[in-house]
Amino acid sequence: MSGIGTGYDVTPTTYSPEGRIFQVEYAARSVENSSTAIGIRVSDGVIFGVEKKIISKMLVKGSNRRVGSVGDHIGASIAGLTADGRRIIKQANSEAKSYKDLTSEAIPLNVLVDRISSFVQMHTLYASIRPFGCAVMFGSYNEKDGAQLFLVEPSGVSFGYYGCAIGKAKQSAKTEIEKLNLSELTCREAIKQVAKIIYTIHDESKDKEMELEMSWICKESGGKHELVPDDLIAEAEQFAKDNTVSTNILNFDNI
Amino acid sequence: MTSSAFGFDRHISVFSPEGRLYQIEYVYTAIRAAGNTTIGVRGEETVCVVTQKKVPDKLTDPTTVTSMFTITNNIGCAMTGIRADMKTAVQRLRYFAHRFEYENGFEIPVSHLARKMADFFQLFTQHAFMRPLGLAITLIGIDEEVGPQLYKIEPSGYFLGYKATCVGQKEQEGTNFLEKKIKKETKLNKDETIQLAISSLQSVLGVDFRPSDIEVGIVEKDSPKFTLLSEELIDSHLTAISERD
């Protein structure tokens, strides 16, 4: 059995004796090392929540965005190498523009995701370019198709989801998401739940301070991708802090 | 200095001193490692292809998980292997098929499409800059002149027409099973074709399917449009199979 770094892992053009493409698997590890991002699809829209690490007190709040828009009707959220993620969002915008130029219509989400998956997968075929070290979630809401949420992984595989979590704490986040009754939630209620999940999975003892970034595409935002308004975020954060059990074992208040 | 002296014969598509292409052999392993099995059966007037549908987690929308693709209205395929490569192969098949129709004015014959795709796959086995796609394609369609067609295209560029074929994790077991069931004089009608494909897959995997565990695609002479069977239809076939046994 070939393990890590046994010579079959230098380019994406090499299969290992077990039929694995290690470079693509390593790219997926980049995503697993990143801080967590979650996306959920509820009855009237899609919400993204990102756990942003504050690496320096000198950073202006809101900088280093992990969400982006494609056109104005599709939202995207990144986990992994953010710079790679921005490249993907740029490509998505380019696809959306060329689709609109051709058809005069906004690109449907499943068409966009199909093209982006192929774009990402193409980078796993050649020795001269490396795979993307990020996973990107895409979401949209319109009257005709309702809410839709997709995830594109570094291998180029994409699926539609009801709820999705990527990054370090994705397992715990997924467990929390499964507890929710997604089809009955509205966006307003869901914002609080998303904030609560992010606060729950954030490990205060191990990680640095975090900033919560949330965006939505829903009925309330008129089908446009926007950052969740500040007052709603504040309300959600309060709800989260009130309802999250601290993961710290040592809590000096109780001793 | 031969590249095998540097040990590259396992890393890129060059010959080893024994005349083997290791990278091609590893691609076949990749298909088996992907974990799914596909079975195709050709009857008198119907061709049927069945593949497993595994939905990775509860939160995934199952309507977006599929390994069956329409190439033209009347030609369809099941892909077995690395999921990320499936879209690339489908795009290429569609391109070949529609280009042919545009240039020649009639629908591409299934055997011709299979050959073109096989030649495309072969390119990667000779050029070092790109890896072969980790998939096997089971292509089905009704040819205007020759009738029902079933082709399997392998990543090495090898392709053949079949009466019945199996590819994927349980390839060997499936092939052995089908060889016992299909003799030279075997003539299968529509229901027999579909039920043979489904029951072979059930037997080889050792499980009883629910309708949501598999995808079934068919083409038939009277209605050559490539269609996926609905869950109700799959259920009725599964019931017929279990009542027979």
Side-chain angles (χ1 to χ4, degrees):
Chain A
M1 265 293 248
S2 311
I4 302 173
T6 28
Y8 293 102
D9 57 351
V10 178
T11 68
T13 50
T14 308
Y15 284 95
S16 79
E18 299 86 50
R20 291 160 70 173
I21 306 170
F22 278 107
Q23 271 295 296
V24 177
E25 294 186 22
Y26 293 168
R29 295 223 192 126
S30 262
V31 180
E32 278 162 37
N33 289 339
S34 130
S35 66
T36 316
I38 66 176
I40 59 174
R41 168 181 146 189
V42 294
S43 61
D44 62 347
V46 173
I47 303 198
F48 293 124
V50 185
E51 173 205 2
K52 272 165 59 176
K53 296 238 185 68
I54 302 181
I55 50 172
S56 153
K57 291 208 184 342
M58 296 315 240
L59 276 176
V60 170
K61 187 172 183 297
S63 55
N64 204 29
R65 288 239 173 277
R66 297 262 299 267
V67 298
S69 299
V70 181
D72 54 8
H73 62 298
I74 293 175
S77 171
I78 308 166
L81 300 178
T82 331
D84 283 11
R86 290 200 199 109
R87 173 70 185 90
I88 291 181
I89 295 183
K90 186 169 182 183
Q91 184 69 24
N93 272 299
S94 169
E95 297 285 352
K97 180 171 190 301
S98 75
Y99 187 94
K100 188 148 197 189
D101 286 346
L102 185 67
T103 66
S104 298
E105 285 189 5
I107 190 169
L109 185 57
N110 57 315
V111 172
L112 176 72
V113 168
D114 228 29
R115 294 196 189 177
I116 294 298
S117 316
S118 297
F119 174 72
V120 169
Q121 188 270 347
M122 188 257 284
H123 288 72
T124 70
L125 287 175
Y126 298 89
S128 48
I129 41 181
R130 66 164 173 81
F132 284 99
C134 64
V136 185
M137 294 186 280
F138 290 96
S140 80
Y141 174 80
N142 59 49
E143 295 294 319
K144 187 167 78 98
D145 303 309
Q148 290 181 297
L149 173 65
F150 287 86
L151 170 68
V152 179
E153 297 171 28
S155 58
V157 168
S158 68
F159 291 121
Y161 287 86
Y162 300 115
C164 183
I166 42 180
K168 231 182 251 171
K170 73 174 187 196
Q171 266 319 114
S172 358
K174 272 201 192 141
T175 317
E176 295 298 317
I177 296 175
E178 283 176 18
K179 293 181 190 160
L180 302 171
N181 188 348
L182 294 170
S183 53
E184 301 207 347
L185 280 177
T186 64
C187 270
R188 280 223 168 210
E189 293 155 7
I191 289 177
K192 298 202 188 105
Q193 297 298 333
V194 168
K196 179 175 163 212
I197 294 174
I198 299 281
Y199 271 83
T200 308
I201 54 156
H202 177 66
D203 193 339
E204 276 160 38
S205 51
K206 272 207 213 141
D207 302 329
K208 297 199 168 91
E209 265 187 66
M210 69 155 239
E211 181 190 324
L212 171 64
E213 182 168 295
M214 286 207 285
S215 70
W216 63 358
I217 320 95
C218 58
K219 211 167 185 171
E220 229 181 283
S221 73
K224 306 238 175 292
H225 179 239
E226 296 172 345
L227 289 173
V228 172
D230 287 336
D231 52 334
L232 288 176
I233 294 206
E235 202 186 312
E237 281 188 312
Q238 195 50 54
F239 175 88
K241 286 182 189 144
D242 294 339
N243 284 287
T244 307
V245 177
S246 172
T247 51
N248 286 351
I249 307 166
L250 262 138
N251 190 337
F252 287 106
D253 293 337
N254 292 342
I255 293 181
Chain B
M1 273 290 230
T2 59
S3 55
S4 77
F6 293 115
F8 285 128
D9 51 351
R10 288 183 181 266
H11 292 69
I12 53 176
S13 275
V14 292
F15 286 109
S16 75
E18 308 88 52
R20 291 164 69 175
L21 288 169
Y22 281 110
Q23 274 294 297
I24 314 294
E25 297 180 17
Y26 296 165
V27 182
Y28 281 87
T29 318
I31 295 178
R32 278 190 285 274
N36 280 346
T37 310
T38 302
I39 288 192
V41 177
R42 185 188 87 193
E44 276 294 281
E45 301 192 339
T46 314
V47 198
C48 172
V49 62
V50 181
T51 186
Q52 287 175 273
K53 177 167 172 162
K54 287 187 189 160
V55 180
D57 89 67
K58 250 193 330 186
L59 291 171
T60 309
D61 183 349
T63 60
T64 64
V65 180
T66 178
S67 312
M68 295 253 184
F69 301 92
T70 314
I71 307 300
T72 66
N73 272 337
N74 302 340
I75 300 178
C77 71
M79 300 268 178
T80 320
I82 298 181
R83 182 165 285 283
D85 293 347
M86 288 181 191
K87 284 211 178 83
T88 308
V90 169
Q91 302 276 50
R92 186 58 64 154
L93 278 165
R94 288 177 179 162
Y95 166 72
F96 283 140
H98 289 94
R99 174 94 185 252
F100 182 95
E101 188 164 344
Y102 173 69
E103 288 180 347
N104 297 287
F106 65 98
E107 219 185 293
I108 190 170
V110 184
S111 55
H112 189 67
L113 179 61
R115 176 181 300 280
K116 294 213 71 150
M117 197 59 184
D119 288 348
F120 178 70
F121 275 174
Q122 187 276 342
L123 285 175
F124 307 136
T125 69
Q126 260 190 314
H127 293 259
F129 76 111
M130 249 173 101
R131 63 171 174 83
L133 294 182
L135 320 151
I137 303 176
T138 315
L139 196 65
I140 68 173
I142 307 285
D143 184 287
E144 273 173 12
E145 293 171 359
V146 222
Q149 303 274 280
L150 168 65
Y151 278 89
K152 179 167 74 177
I153 308 165
E154 297 176 11
S156 56
Y158 187 67
F159 83 103
L160 280 183
Y162 288 87
K163 292 200 204 99
T165 182
C166 177
V167 73
Q169 195 179 39
K170 298 277 181 186
E171 188 166 334
Q172 205 42 60
E173 294 90 330
T175 311
N176 294 340
F177 187 89
L178 289 167
E179 279 175 4
K180 292 200 204 100
K181 292 278 174 179
I182 297 201
K183 311 288 178 202
K184 260 210 173 100
E185 348 68 42
T186 308
K187 287 191 194 304
L188 301 165
N189 67 26
K190 176 178 170 184
D191 284 343
E192 286 168 345
T193 310
I194 299 174
Q195 283 167 21
L196 176 59
I198 299 179
S199 63
S200 309
L201 195 58
Q202 275 191 153
S203 152
V204 151
L205 294 173
V207 291
D208 280 321
F209 289 133
R210 284 175 307 215
S212 54
D213 290 336
I214 52 173
E215 289 185 283
V216 182
I218 62 166
V219 288
E220 39 179 337
K221 229 172 177 169
D222 295 330
S223 131
K225 185 164 189 287
F226 176 72
T227 8
L228 289 180
L229 295 187
S230 65
E231 276 194 25
E232 292 86 40
L233 271 173
I234 298 181
D235 201 18
S236 65
H237 283 292
L238 286 168
T239 318
I241 292 170
S242 61
E243 278 172 7
R244 223 178 38 204
D245 293 337

